[in-house]
Amino acid sequence: MEHDALPPTPIAALPAQDSRAVQSLMRAFALELAQAGVRVAGVTQMRGQDPAGRSRIFLRDVASEAEFMISQDLGPGSTACNLDAGELALACAAVERAARDGAELIVVSKFSKQEAERGGLCDAFRAAMGARIPVIAAVSPHFREEWRVFAGPLAEDVAPSQEALADWWARAKSFSHDRRAI
């Protein structure tokens, strides 16, 4: 089969109205597949405390458990965006490396404001799609229209449940195996 003639890369788009629940679901599903021998890579978003006890947002690599602290302390009273773009870029680079290194499934924590502006984890999505690796991503309800423009017909809306993801993966894994035969 000609490389260009392959069907589009399958992307499972999970609605992220309940971000914590969706992130936990993606992480649990990724870890279950990894235990079954699937080469899973990517990041999920977590909330936790920094060493000083302040609430922080971080991305956790599903394969290596590396953490990327994407929120930064801007001091008391700050109302500025506290996103640490450098840490976000490091997380994105880790996903891109995994795509080059033969991952069979990529998990991307979310498509939100940064990605809608073509920043954030967009290059992670592009790396997975360029390598024709299936992707699971949470999509912010505030950026659904931008998501549709970005992903187009590649994405399939999938209900945020273990069963729906398993059904999607049953279809997507055959695509993943087909692409490796090229």
Side-chain angles (χ1 to χ4, degrees):
M1 177 182 266
E2 187 74 27
H3 185 69
D4 292 338
L6 287 174
T9 304
I11 302 173
L14 302 175
Q17 281 84 347
D18 184 348
S19 184
R20 286 183 188 202
V22 168
Q23 296 297 320
S24 293
L25 170 65
M26 290 192 310
R27 181 165 190 75
F29 187 73
L31 294 176
E32 179 183 309
L33 290 180
Q35 288 176 342
V38 178
R39 293 186 65 187
V40 181
V43 292
T44 56
Q45 182 175 295
M46 315 288 279
R47 291 185 177 268
Q49 304 280 317
D50 70 10
R54 294 174 295 238
S55 179
R56 292 283 187 258
I57 299 171
F58 59 95
L59 299 178
R60 180 174 289 156
D61 189 301
V62 296
S64 72
E65 296 293 318
E67 293 180 357
F68 305 92
M69 190 73 59
I70 62 169
S71 62
Q72 56 188 329
D73 184 6
L74 299 177
S78 175
T79 58
C81 175
N82 70 345
L83 177 70
D84 186 333
E87 284 291 306
L88 186 56
L90 291 173
C92 187
V95 178
E96 290 177 82
R97 271 191 307 280
R100 285 191 308 270
D101 291 346
E104 295 173 87
L105 173 67
I106 298 284
V107 176
V108 180
S109 63
K110 76 166 73 168
F111 183 93
S112 195
K113 182 179 180 182
Q114 294 296 313
E115 293 74 24
E117 296 172 353
R118 300 304 185 258
L121 295 169
C122 272
D123 285 342
F125 281 105
R126 288 184 194 104
M129 290 186 289
R132 299 191 182 270
I133 301 168
V135 176
I136 297 173
V139 179
S140 168
H142 305 291
F143 298 96
R144 292 291 298 172
E145 189 54 39
E146 292 86 346
W147 169 254
R148 284 183 187 86
V149 170
F150 177 77
L154 300 177
E156 173 186 343
D157 288 336
V158 175
S161 73
Q162 184 78 16
E163 298 79 22
L165 276 175
D167 289 345
W168 173 84
W169 177 244
R171 293 185 311 276
K173 72 181 175 183
S174 65
F175 173 88
S176 181
H177 294 328
D178 290 347
R179 116 186 127 72
R180 286 186 293 165
I182 298 172

